[in-house]
Amino acid sequence: MADDMLKSDNLPQNPERASLEGRNKFMGFWFFLGGETVLFASLFGTYLALRNSPAEGPTASEIFGLELVFIMTIVLLTSSLTSVYAMYHMKNGDFKKMQLWLGITVALGFTFLGFEIYEFYHYVHGYHFGYTTSAFSSAFYTLVGFHGGHVAFGLAWIISLMIRNAKRGINLYNAPKFYIASLYWHFIDVVWVFIFTVVYLMGKVG
Amino acid sequence: MSATARKAGFGAALWDYLTTVDHKKIGILYLVAGIFFFILGGLEAMLIRIQLISPNNEFISAQFYNEVLTMHGTTMIFLAAMPLIFALMNAVVPLQIGARDVAFPFVNSLGFWLFFFGGVMLNVSWFVTGAPDAGWTAYAPLSIFSEGHGVDFYAIGLQISGFGTLMGGINFIVTVVNMRAPGMTYMRMPLFTWTAFIASVLILFAFPALTVGLFMLTFDRLFGANFFDPAMGGNAIIWEHLFWIFGHPEVYILILPAFGVFSEVIPTFAKKRLFGYSSMVFATVLIAFLGFMVWAHHMFTVGLGPIANSIFAVATMAIAVPTGIKIFNWLFTLWGGSIRLTSPMVFALGFIPTFTIGGMTGVMLASAAADFQYHDSYFVVAHFHYVIVGGVVLGLFAGIIYWWPKMFGTMLNEKLNHWFFWLFFIGFHLTFFIQHFLGLMGMPRRYWKFLPDQGLDLFNLISTIGAFFMAVGTIVFLYNVIITQVKGVKVSGDPWDARTLEWAIPSPPPFYNFKQEPLVRGLDPLWIEKTEGNGKIQPATPLGDIHMPNNSFVPFMMSLGLFIAGFGVMFQGTYWVLAVIGFGITAGSMLYRSFKDDLGYHVHKEDLEDEKGDGSNG
Ligand code: HEM
Ligand SMILES: [Cu+2]
């Protein structure tokens, strides 16, 4: 049985849910995302309460530009799509293609993160909008930074899964791991959609 | 404690407990740690009461009083009550649903070690710059301006232990959903399992709010953020909201499992099936649901306005309805039962009126207009001790005594248990009943001193005397534990003549719990077999290999890493090195975990057949 877990041929249709361990992971991770939702909801609530409190510092509409953020949104949404492709190939047992699409996902993730760092750098140096400038700035960097931290963690996670399993194929043991990593990635994307709306769009327009 | 441990010597036993992923041993770890912190919190309580024994007392300094007060509350809630609840959940829930282990044994152990290191972190503060002193609620801006590192220890210590609790919660949700034995439908689950399940759901949705609040507190204090600083546009009320969005569900996280304990104890010792089982389940779910909508009843005096106050007042009073349903169900279970006054039963009988009083004062507090008078007075102190001590603590001790045989295979001395109960119970009412009146007379809570000749002297003296009774009671309990374990007289698998699945296997159970998966034929499965079958649970599956998880030292290391890193983040400067080392240990442990396959091992069928006595059929 233990050996079966590591075999890569004759996998069932949904290898991520074929074992009890896999089903447990799958369900546990959904619940974990429920908790994460409350975490981000709390951060959003705080941000909404403080977004009009710039103290002496710049306001939202003074610093936000939508072009870069729009590109970032596209990049991250695309990476969600590519991770779906990766999971599609996982279910078909095509390990090479899965790795390829995960690689593209990771590349897009890094692009996003790069843009975000550039954005923060720009605010700090171009507008003197630092973490301690005002309640608004603290709330902004904490919310967006938590999301960025999640992206960075997700990247590290997917990369280590890719490296660890590079020399062997998909099996019942690692399929759930890949699958929940991709779930996590989708979750990060969804959170970003809310950030785009609540932070940037409402900051510029509302 | 286990037979293998005694044979193998102390070092091996220690290593076994440091690496264990067995829910029964993790339950014991939670129990030992929880009782340790309960004693610590109790000593702090005694210091508070001795300081307040007479007016203008100089027993301890004002600053030290603030620290002791803060640490008492924080310790009791997060480091005593929570782990003791997890102790019972670990010891009992998998057995009650006929599972071999929890869904995530590794995460289970991680949860314990995170809680443990968080608790140690909090208490290290005593020796480094002083303990937190802003109250267990750590309201901003007091907590922002508190000097030294006390509140930093609070924020980071609770953060670490909070992660552990969150993981424990997720683990038990999945365990209950996925790991039930054949025939164990939701509506056949014992009420302790139900309440543990619902409490876990509450943990999942309540703790992240605290996580965020604690992060903000940390960032404000250590990194110059401005969340709670009005001068920079911040808003101190945000902390109160986040704290109570977590905090009110937290009180239900504590009380629901205690309700669960009583719902097991009362039917067993009344020899009757629980009255209104489905309404009990319904009430549990409803309490949990409403529990999320009442947090602002802690903030009536903040100035949220009459509309908000009214809504939260009505929502709060509504919770009394499902709670009342439960009280009546317990009474009706007792009605006409053949009652055995064992000590867990006596705890249950003491609980019912005590908790009812706490619920009544709760409804009084919930009247927003009246609360302006009660708020922050000893009336509130009396209220929450009636529900927390009269509810949670009595429930925990009833549960510990009731399941002690299952956990250790021995039986606590009943006579001493009764002594413990009466000392504790009388002491409790002496201490806290009178505090209602102290509060109504205007004595504010959390004050270091009170003045003479304001009519407060005698009542405070009585209150302190009561506290000594409780302390003596607790000492009797500890003495009982020691002599019971030293004597080590073994008892059978079912010493109480009980009704649920955990009593169908030996005490303590074999490490794989059930040799064959049990077949559950209804509510109170063991009782069904006792009355309709041959008294033994029938197996649902043929004897086969059993898959078991491997022990692991990784959870300990991951938690240790965060513990070390906490100091780096707190002291900064050259101490940043500690943060690098600590986070390095944690990240390294996680990588190790994901790079090394951990497939567990199998206990073979042949070995199981050789073993004497059979696992599933008692
Ligand atoms: C019928 C049910 C209950 C009602 C209506 C109720 C109502 C209240 C209200 C309105 C307050 C705020 C008082 C103030 O600060 O002015 C309060 C405080 C408190 N309650 Fe309850 N409560 C109930 C049950 C419980 C239970 C079951 C627990 C714990 C197991 C609990 C624990 C607490 C604690 C710890 C506080 C004080 C928090 C603090 O300010 O430090 N309550 N309750
Ligand atoms: Cu409350």
Side-chain angles (χ1 to χ4, degrees), chain B residues 77 136-137 139 244 248 250-252 254-255 259 297-301 316-317 319-320 323 355 358-367 371 374-377 380-381 383-385 387-388 391-392 445-446:
Chain B
I77 299 273
W136 85 280
T137 50
Y139 273 16
W244 288 116
H248 191 83
E250 166 71 8
V251 307
Y252 286 104
L254 295 175
I255 197 68
F259 287 172
H297 65 213
H298 297 271
M299 301 166 63
F300 283 149
T301 58
T316 304
M317 292 177 192
I319 295 196
T323 315
F355 189 83
M360 271 155 42
T361 54
V363 176
M364 288 172 72
L365 290 166
S367 322
D371 186 59
Y374 310 133
H375 183 69
D376 252 346
S377 77
V380 173
V381 178
H383 157 70
F384 67 74
H385 283 92
V387 278
I388 291 188
V392 181
R445 69 191 270 216
R446 293 183 171 162

Short mmCIF file of all heavy atoms in Angstrom, two decimals, chain B residues 77 136-137 139 244 248 250-252 254-255 259 297-301 316-317 319-320 323 355 358-367 371 374-377 380-381 383-385 387-388 391-392 445-446, ligand 1:
data_model
loop_
_atom_site.label_atom_id
_atom_site.label_comp_id
_atom_site.label_asym_id
_atom_site.label_seq_id
_atom_site.Cartn_x
_atom_site.Cartn_y
_atom_site.Cartn_z
N ILE B 77 -7.52 32.12 30.09
CA ILE B 77 -8.27 31.91 28.86
C ILE B 77 -7.45 31.12 27.83
O ILE B 77 -7.88 30.09 27.33
CB ILE B 77 -8.69 33.26 28.23
CG1 ILE B 77 -9.60 34.03 29.18
CG2 ILE B 77 -9.35 33.03 26.87
CD1 ILE B 77 -11.04 33.70 29.09
N TRP B 136 -6.16 41.69 29.94
CA TRP B 136 -6.13 40.60 28.95
C TRP B 136 -6.76 41.04 27.64
O TRP B 136 -6.56 40.43 26.61
CB TRP B 136 -6.81 39.34 29.51
CG TRP B 136 -8.31 39.30 29.36
CD1 TRP B 136 -9.22 39.92 30.15
CD2 TRP B 136 -9.06 38.59 28.36
NE1 TRP B 136 -10.49 39.65 29.73
CE2 TRP B 136 -10.43 38.83 28.62
CE3 TRP B 136 -8.72 37.76 27.29
CZ2 TRP B 136 -11.44 38.29 27.84
CZ3 TRP B 136 -9.74 37.24 26.51
CH2 TRP B 136 -11.08 37.50 26.79
N THR B 137 -7.52 42.16 27.68
CA THR B 137 -8.12 42.67 26.46
C THR B 137 -7.20 43.63 25.73
O THR B 137 -7.49 44.03 24.61
CB THR B 137 -9.43 43.40 26.79
OG1 THR B 137 -9.15 44.33 27.85
CG2 THR B 137 -10.49 42.44 27.26
N TYR B 139 -6.58 46.77 25.46
CA TYR B 139 -7.18 47.86 24.70
C TYR B 139 -6.15 48.91 24.31
O TYR B 139 -5.34 49.35 25.13
CB TYR B 139 -8.27 48.55 25.55
CG TYR B 139 -9.64 47.92 25.46
CD1 TYR B 139 -9.80 46.64 24.95
CD2 TYR B 139 -10.76 48.60 25.90
CE1 TYR B 139 -11.06 46.06 24.87
CE2 TYR B 139 -12.02 48.03 25.83
CZ TYR B 139 -12.16 46.75 25.32
OH TYR B 139 -13.41 46.18 25.25
N TRP B 244 -13.05 41.76 20.02
CA TRP B 244 -14.32 41.12 20.43
C TRP B 244 -14.97 40.32 19.33
O TRP B 244 -15.76 39.41 19.61
CB TRP B 244 -15.27 42.15 21.03
CG TRP B 244 -14.80 42.60 22.38
CD1 TRP B 244 -14.41 43.87 22.72
CD2 TRP B 244 -14.62 41.79 23.56
NE1 TRP B 244 -14.00 43.89 24.04
CE2 TRP B 244 -14.12 42.62 24.58
CE3 TRP B 244 -14.83 40.45 23.84
CZ2 TRP B 244 -13.83 42.15 25.86
CZ3 TRP B 244 -14.54 39.98 25.10
CH2 TRP B 244 -14.06 40.83 26.09
N HIS B 248 -15.89 37.32 21.63
CA HIS B 248 -17.14 36.70 22.04
C HIS B 248 -17.28 35.27 21.54
O HIS B 248 -17.59 34.38 22.33
CB HIS B 248 -18.38 37.53 21.73
CG HIS B 248 -19.54 36.92 22.43
ND1 HIS B 248 -19.83 37.16 23.75
CD2 HIS B 248 -20.36 35.92 22.05
CE1 HIS B 248 -20.80 36.37 24.15
NE2 HIS B 248 -21.15 35.61 23.13
N GLU B 250 -14.98 33.34 21.17
CA GLU B 250 -14.07 32.60 22.04
C GLU B 250 -14.77 32.09 23.31
O GLU B 250 -14.53 30.96 23.73
CB GLU B 250 -12.88 33.49 22.41
CG GLU B 250 -12.02 33.00 23.58
CD GLU B 250 -11.18 31.77 23.26
OE1 GLU B 250 -11.14 31.37 22.08
OE2 GLU B 250 -10.59 31.21 24.19
N VAL B 251 -15.64 32.90 23.90
CA VAL B 251 -16.29 32.39 25.11
C VAL B 251 -17.19 31.19 24.77
O VAL B 251 -17.36 30.30 25.59
CB VAL B 251 -17.07 33.48 25.90
CG1 VAL B 251 -16.19 34.67 26.19
CG2 VAL B 251 -18.34 33.89 25.20
N TYR B 252 -17.70 31.15 23.55
CA TYR B 252 -18.49 29.98 23.17
C TYR B 252 -17.60 28.82 22.77
O TYR B 252 -17.99 27.65 22.92
CB TYR B 252 -19.51 30.34 22.08
CG TYR B 252 -20.61 31.13 22.72
CD1 TYR B 252 -20.71 32.50 22.58
CD2 TYR B 252 -21.49 30.49 23.57
CE1 TYR B 252 -21.67 33.22 23.25
CE2 TYR B 252 -22.46 31.20 24.25
CZ TYR B 252 -22.55 32.56 24.08
OH TYR B 252 -23.48 33.26 24.76
N LEU B 254 -15.12 28.12 24.43
CA LEU B 254 -14.85 27.53 25.73
C LEU B 254 -16.06 26.80 26.30
O LEU B 254 -15.94 25.70 26.84
CB LEU B 254 -14.42 28.63 26.72
CG LEU B 254 -13.11 29.34 26.40
CD1 LEU B 254 -12.88 30.48 27.38
CD2 LEU B 254 -11.95 28.37 26.46
N ILE B 255 -17.23 27.41 26.20
CA ILE B 255 -18.36 26.84 26.93
C ILE B 255 -19.00 25.68 26.19
O ILE B 255 -19.51 24.74 26.81
CB ILE B 255 -19.41 27.92 27.29
CG1 ILE B 255 -20.35 27.42 28.39
CG2 ILE B 255 -20.25 28.31 26.09
CD1 ILE B 255 -19.71 27.25 29.72
N PHE B 259 -20.47 22.27 27.76
CA PHE B 259 -21.85 21.76 27.59
C PHE B 259 -21.81 20.31 27.12
O PHE B 259 -22.59 19.47 27.55
CB PHE B 259 -22.61 22.58 26.54
CG PHE B 259 -23.01 23.97 26.98
CD1 PHE B 259 -23.55 24.87 26.07
CD2 PHE B 259 -22.88 24.37 28.30
CE1 PHE B 259 -23.95 26.14 26.45
CE2 PHE B 259 -23.26 25.65 28.69
CZ PHE B 259 -23.80 26.54 27.76
N HIS B 297 -21.64 43.85 22.33
CA HIS B 297 -22.18 44.04 23.68
C HIS B 297 -21.05 44.29 24.69
O HIS B 297 -21.32 44.65 25.82
CB HIS B 297 -23.09 42.88 24.11
CG HIS B 297 -22.42 41.55 24.25
ND1 HIS B 297 -23.06 40.38 23.97
CD2 HIS B 297 -21.18 41.19 24.64
CE1 HIS B 297 -22.25 39.37 24.20
NE2 HIS B 297 -21.10 39.83 24.60
N HIS B 298 -19.82 44.08 24.25
CA HIS B 298 -18.70 44.47 25.12
C HIS B 298 -18.36 45.94 24.94
O HIS B 298 -17.47 46.46 25.61
CB HIS B 298 -17.47 43.61 24.80
CG HIS B 298 -17.70 42.16 25.07
ND1 HIS B 298 -17.45 41.58 26.28
CD2 HIS B 298 -18.19 41.17 24.28
CE1 HIS B 298 -17.75 40.29 26.24
NE2 HIS B 298 -18.21 40.02 25.03
N MET B 299 -19.03 46.59 24.01
CA MET B 299 -18.65 47.96 23.64
C MET B 299 -19.83 48.91 23.75
O MET B 299 -19.83 49.96 23.10
CB MET B 299 -18.10 47.95 22.20
CG MET B 299 -16.89 47.04 22.05
SD MET B 299 -16.50 46.72 20.33
CE MET B 299 -16.09 48.36 19.78
N PHE B 300 -20.81 48.57 24.57
CA PHE B 300 -21.99 49.43 24.69
C PHE B 300 -21.62 50.86 25.07
O PHE B 300 -22.26 51.81 24.66
CB PHE B 300 -22.95 48.88 25.75
CG PHE B 300 -23.77 47.71 25.29
CD1 PHE B 300 -24.16 46.72 26.18
CD2 PHE B 300 -24.18 47.60 23.96
CE1 PHE B 300 -24.93 45.65 25.76
CE2 PHE B 300 -24.94 46.52 23.54
CZ PHE B 300 -25.31 45.54 24.44
N THR B 301 -20.58 51.02 25.90
CA THR B 301 -20.26 52.35 26.41
C THR B 301 -19.28 53.10 25.51
O THR B 301 -18.87 54.20 25.82
CB THR B 301 -19.65 52.26 27.82
OG1 THR B 301 -18.49 51.44 27.74
CG2 THR B 301 -20.63 51.66 28.80
N THR B 316 -27.90 39.64 21.64
CA THR B 316 -27.30 38.99 22.81
C THR B 316 -28.35 38.27 23.63
O THR B 316 -28.17 37.12 24.04
CB THR B 316 -26.58 40.04 23.68
OG1 THR B 316 -25.63 40.73 22.88
CG2 THR B 316 -25.88 39.38 24.85
N MET B 317 -29.46 38.95 23.86
CA MET B 317 -30.51 38.30 24.66
C MET B 317 -31.03 37.06 23.96
O MET B 317 -31.40 36.07 24.60
CB MET B 317 -31.65 39.28 24.90
CG MET B 317 -31.25 40.43 25.81
SD MET B 317 -32.60 41.58 25.99
CE MET B 317 -31.79 42.96 26.75
N ILE B 319 -29.45 34.84 22.51
CA ILE B 319 -28.64 33.65 22.80
C ILE B 319 -29.13 32.93 24.04
O ILE B 319 -28.94 31.73 24.19
CB ILE B 319 -27.15 34.03 22.96
CG1 ILE B 319 -26.63 34.55 21.64
CG2 ILE B 319 -26.33 32.83 23.39
CD1 ILE B 319 -25.13 34.58 21.58
N ALA B 320 -29.77 33.66 24.91
CA ALA B 320 -30.26 33.00 26.12
C ALA B 320 -31.30 31.94 25.78
O ALA B 320 -31.50 31.00 26.56
CB ALA B 320 -30.84 34.03 27.08
N THR B 323 -29.64 28.61 24.91
CA THR B 323 -28.97 28.17 26.14
C THR B 323 -30.00 27.63 27.13
O THR B 323 -29.78 26.61 27.77
CB THR B 323 -28.20 29.35 26.76
OG1 THR B 323 -27.48 30.02 25.72
CG2 THR B 323 -27.21 28.86 27.79
N PHE B 355 -24.45 28.06 36.35
CA PHE B 355 -24.41 28.64 35.02
C PHE B 355 -25.69 29.43 34.74
O PHE B 355 -25.65 30.46 34.06
CB PHE B 355 -24.22 27.55 33.96
CG PHE B 355 -23.98 28.13 32.61
CD1 PHE B 355 -22.70 28.53 32.25
CD2 PHE B 355 -25.01 28.35 31.72
CE1 PHE B 355 -22.46 29.11 31.03
CE2 PHE B 355 -24.77 28.95 30.50
CZ PHE B 355 -23.49 29.32 30.14
N GLY B 358 -25.18 32.83 35.94
CA GLY B 358 -24.31 33.56 35.02
C GLY B 358 -25.07 34.00 33.78
O GLY B 358 -24.86 35.10 33.26
N GLY B 359 -25.96 33.14 33.29
CA GLY B 359 -26.74 33.51 32.12
C GLY B 359 -27.71 34.64 32.43
O GLY B 359 -27.92 35.55 31.62
N MET B 360 -28.25 34.62 33.64
CA MET B 360 -29.18 35.69 34.01
C MET B 360 -28.46 37.04 34.11
O MET B 360 -28.96 38.05 33.60
CB MET B 360 -29.84 35.36 35.35
CG MET B 360 -31.12 34.56 35.18
SD MET B 360 -31.55 33.57 36.62
CE MET B 360 -31.21 34.67 37.95
N THR B 361 -27.30 37.05 34.77
CA THR B 361 -26.58 38.33 34.82
C THR B 361 -26.16 38.74 33.42
O THR B 361 -26.06 39.92 33.12
CB THR B 361 -25.35 38.24 35.72
OG1 THR B 361 -24.54 37.15 35.30
CG2 THR B 361 -25.73 38.07 37.16
N GLY B 362 -25.92 37.75 32.54
CA GLY B 362 -25.60 38.07 31.14
C GLY B 362 -26.73 38.85 30.49
O GLY B 362 -26.51 39.85 29.81
N VAL B 363 -27.95 38.39 30.70
CA VAL B 363 -29.08 39.10 30.10
C VAL B 363 -29.22 40.50 30.72
O VAL B 363 -29.56 41.46 30.03
CB VAL B 363 -30.38 38.28 30.27
CG1 VAL B 363 -31.57 39.03 29.73
CG2 VAL B 363 -30.23 36.95 29.52
N MET B 364 -28.91 40.60 32.02
CA MET B 364 -28.93 41.94 32.63
C MET B 364 -27.92 42.85 31.94
O MET B 364 -28.22 43.99 31.57
CB MET B 364 -28.57 41.85 34.12
CG MET B 364 -29.66 41.24 34.98
SD MET B 364 -29.08 40.95 36.65
CE MET B 364 -29.00 42.62 37.29
N LEU B 365 -26.69 42.32 31.75
CA LEU B 365 -25.65 43.13 31.09
C LEU B 365 -26.03 43.48 29.67
O LEU B 365 -25.63 44.52 29.14
CB LEU B 365 -24.33 42.36 31.08
CG LEU B 365 -23.64 42.16 32.42
CD1 LEU B 365 -22.57 41.10 32.29
CD2 LEU B 365 -23.02 43.46 32.86
N ALA B 366 -26.81 42.59 29.06
CA ALA B 366 -27.15 42.81 27.66
C ALA B 366 -28.13 43.97 27.48
O ALA B 366 -28.33 44.44 26.36
CB ALA B 366 -27.74 41.53 27.08
N SER B 367 -28.77 44.41 28.56
CA SER B 367 -29.64 45.58 28.44
C SER B 367 -28.74 46.81 28.33
O SER B 367 -28.24 47.30 29.34
CB SER B 367 -30.54 45.71 29.67
OG SER B 367 -30.94 44.43 30.08
N ASP B 371 -26.33 48.62 31.13
CA ASP B 371 -24.91 48.25 31.14
C ASP B 371 -24.01 49.45 31.43
O ASP B 371 -22.88 49.27 31.90
CB ASP B 371 -24.53 47.60 29.82
CG ASP B 371 -23.10 47.07 29.85
OD1 ASP B 371 -22.82 46.22 30.72
OD2 ASP B 371 -22.28 47.51 29.04
N TYR B 374 -23.31 48.87 34.91
CA TYR B 374 -22.55 47.67 35.27
C TYR B 374 -21.14 47.69 34.70
O TYR B 374 -20.24 47.08 35.25
CB TYR B 374 -23.22 46.41 34.76
CG TYR B 374 -24.69 46.27 35.06
CD1 TYR B 374 -25.59 45.89 34.07
CD2 TYR B 374 -25.17 46.49 36.35
CE1 TYR B 374 -26.93 45.76 34.35
CE2 TYR B 374 -26.52 46.34 36.63
CZ TYR B 374 -27.39 45.98 35.62
OH TYR B 374 -28.71 45.84 35.88
N HIS B 375 -21.00 48.32 33.54
CA HIS B 375 -19.79 48.14 32.74
C HIS B 375 -18.53 48.44 33.54
O HIS B 375 -18.47 49.41 34.29
CB HIS B 375 -19.85 49.03 31.51
CG HIS B 375 -18.67 48.85 30.59
ND1 HIS B 375 -18.47 47.70 29.88
CD2 HIS B 375 -17.62 49.65 30.31
CE1 HIS B 375 -17.36 47.81 29.18
NE2 HIS B 375 -16.82 48.98 29.43
N ASP B 376 -17.52 47.58 33.35
CA ASP B 376 -16.22 47.77 34.00
C ASP B 376 -16.32 47.83 35.52
O ASP B 376 -15.47 48.42 36.18
CB ASP B 376 -15.53 49.05 33.48
CG ASP B 376 -14.36 48.70 32.58
OD1 ASP B 376 -13.95 47.52 32.59
OD2 ASP B 376 -13.85 49.58 31.89
N SER B 377 -17.36 47.21 36.06
CA SER B 377 -17.45 47.12 37.51
C SER B 377 -17.29 45.65 37.91
O SER B 377 -17.21 44.77 37.05
CB SER B 377 -18.80 47.63 38.01
OG SER B 377 -19.78 46.64 37.77
N VAL B 380 -19.44 42.82 36.30
CA VAL B 380 -19.00 42.10 35.10
C VAL B 380 -18.05 40.97 35.49
O VAL B 380 -18.12 39.86 34.96
CB VAL B 380 -18.33 43.07 34.10
CG1 VAL B 380 -17.73 42.31 32.94
CG2 VAL B 380 -19.33 44.09 33.60
N VAL B 381 -17.18 41.27 36.47
CA VAL B 381 -16.26 40.23 36.93
C VAL B 381 -17.05 39.04 37.47
O VAL B 381 -16.75 37.88 37.17
CB VAL B 381 -15.32 40.80 38.01
CG1 VAL B 381 -14.39 39.72 38.54
CG2 VAL B 381 -14.52 41.97 37.45
N HIS B 383 -20.15 38.22 36.70
CA HIS B 383 -20.82 37.55 35.57
C HIS B 383 -19.89 36.58 34.86
O HIS B 383 -20.22 35.42 34.69
CB HIS B 383 -21.35 38.57 34.56
CG HIS B 383 -21.52 38.00 33.18
ND1 HIS B 383 -22.51 37.08 32.88
CD2 HIS B 383 -20.81 38.15 32.04
CE1 HIS B 383 -22.40 36.72 31.62
NE2 HIS B 383 -21.37 37.35 31.09
N PHE B 384 -18.73 37.07 34.45
CA PHE B 384 -17.98 36.15 33.60
C PHE B 384 -17.30 35.05 34.38
O PHE B 384 -17.01 34.00 33.84
CB PHE B 384 -17.05 36.87 32.61
CG PHE B 384 -15.89 37.64 33.14
CD1 PHE B 384 -14.78 36.98 33.63
CD2 PHE B 384 -15.87 39.03 33.08
CE1 PHE B 384 -13.69 37.71 34.08
CE2 PHE B 384 -14.79 39.75 33.53
CZ PHE B 384 -13.70 39.08 34.04
N HIS B 385 -17.13 35.24 35.69
CA HIS B 385 -16.64 34.10 36.45
C HIS B 385 -17.74 33.07 36.67
O HIS B 385 -17.47 31.87 36.70
CB HIS B 385 -16.02 34.55 37.76
CG HIS B 385 -14.65 35.12 37.57
ND1 HIS B 385 -14.40 36.45 37.36
CD2 HIS B 385 -13.43 34.52 37.47
CE1 HIS B 385 -13.10 36.65 37.19
NE2 HIS B 385 -12.49 35.50 37.25
N VAL B 387 -19.97 32.29 34.49
CA VAL B 387 -20.07 31.46 33.28
C VAL B 387 -18.77 30.70 33.00
O VAL B 387 -18.80 29.55 32.56
CB VAL B 387 -20.50 32.28 32.04
CG1 VAL B 387 -21.99 32.46 32.02
CG2 VAL B 387 -19.78 33.60 31.97
N ILE B 388 -17.64 31.34 33.29
CA ILE B 388 -16.39 30.66 32.93
C ILE B 388 -15.98 29.65 34.00
O ILE B 388 -15.62 28.52 33.69
CB ILE B 388 -15.27 31.67 32.66
CG1 ILE B 388 -15.60 32.43 31.38
CG2 ILE B 388 -13.95 30.96 32.51
CD1 ILE B 388 -14.51 33.31 30.89
N GLY B 391 -19.19 27.42 34.58
CA GLY B 391 -19.50 26.64 33.38
C GLY B 391 -18.28 25.89 32.87
O GLY B 391 -18.20 24.67 32.97
N VAL B 392 -17.32 26.64 32.37
CA VAL B 392 -16.19 26.01 31.69
C VAL B 392 -15.35 25.18 32.65
O VAL B 392 -15.05 24.01 32.38
CB VAL B 392 -15.31 27.08 31.00
CG1 VAL B 392 -14.15 26.40 30.28
CG2 VAL B 392 -16.13 27.92 30.04
N ARG B 445 -13.68 47.42 38.29
CA ARG B 445 -12.76 46.29 38.15
C ARG B 445 -11.37 46.79 37.81
O ARG B 445 -11.20 47.94 37.39
CB ARG B 445 -13.27 45.33 37.09
CG ARG B 445 -13.23 45.84 35.67
CD ARG B 445 -14.00 44.93 34.74
NE ARG B 445 -13.15 43.87 34.19
CZ ARG B 445 -13.28 43.39 32.95
NH1 ARG B 445 -14.21 43.87 32.14
NH2 ARG B 445 -12.49 42.44 32.52
N ARG B 446 -10.39 45.96 38.02
CA ARG B 446 -9.00 46.19 37.64
C ARG B 446 -8.30 47.28 38.45
O ARG B 446 -7.26 47.75 38.04
CB ARG B 446 -8.88 46.54 36.15
CG ARG B 446 -9.25 45.39 35.24
CD ARG B 446 -9.07 45.72 33.80
NE ARG B 446 -9.22 44.53 32.97
CZ ARG B 446 -9.46 44.54 31.68
NH1 ARG B 446 -9.54 45.68 31.04
NH2 ARG B 446 -9.56 43.42 31.00
C1 HEM C 1 -26.71 34.08 28.27
C2 HEM C 1 -25.51 34.21 27.85
C3 HEM C 1 -24.61 35.45 28.02
C4 HEM C 1 -24.91 36.78 27.93
C5 HEM C 1 -26.28 37.35 27.64
C6 HEM C 1 -23.69 37.52 28.17
C7 HEM C 1 -23.56 38.91 28.16
C8 HEM C 1 -22.39 39.61 28.43
C9 HEM C 1 -22.22 41.02 28.31
C10 HEM C 1 -23.31 41.97 27.85
C11 HEM C 1 -20.95 41.35 28.68
C12 HEM C 1 -20.31 42.73 28.69
C13 HEM C 1 -20.36 43.37 30.03
C14 HEM C 1 -19.58 44.65 30.10
O1 HEM C 1 -18.38 44.66 29.81
O2 HEM C 1 -20.20 45.68 30.50
C15 HEM C 1 -20.31 40.14 29.02
C16 HEM C 1 -18.99 40.04 29.45
C17 HEM C 1 -18.28 38.85 29.51
N1 HEM C 1 -18.81 37.59 29.30
FE1 HEM C 1 -20.76 37.15 28.94
N2 HEM C 1 -22.69 36.65 28.39
C18 HEM C 1 -23.20 35.38 28.30
C19 HEM C 1 -22.50 34.21 28.43
C20 HEM C 1 -21.13 34.13 28.59
C21 HEM C 1 -20.38 32.92 28.54
C22 HEM C 1 -20.96 31.54 28.25
C23 HEM C 1 -19.08 33.25 28.78
C24 HEM C 1 -17.86 32.36 28.84
C25 HEM C 1 -17.82 31.09 28.86
C26 HEM C 1 -19.01 34.66 28.97
C27 HEM C 1 -17.84 35.37 29.24
C28 HEM C 1 -17.75 36.71 29.38
C29 HEM C 1 -16.52 37.42 29.65
C30 HEM C 1 -15.12 36.80 29.76
C31 HEM C 1 -16.86 38.75 29.76
C32 HEM C 1 -15.96 39.91 30.16
C33 HEM C 1 -15.02 40.33 29.17
C34 HEM C 1 -14.21 41.50 29.67
O3 HEM C 1 -14.66 42.62 29.52
O4 HEM C 1 -13.11 41.27 30.19
N3 HEM C 1 -20.27 35.17 28.85
N4 HEM C 1 -21.21 39.07 28.85
#
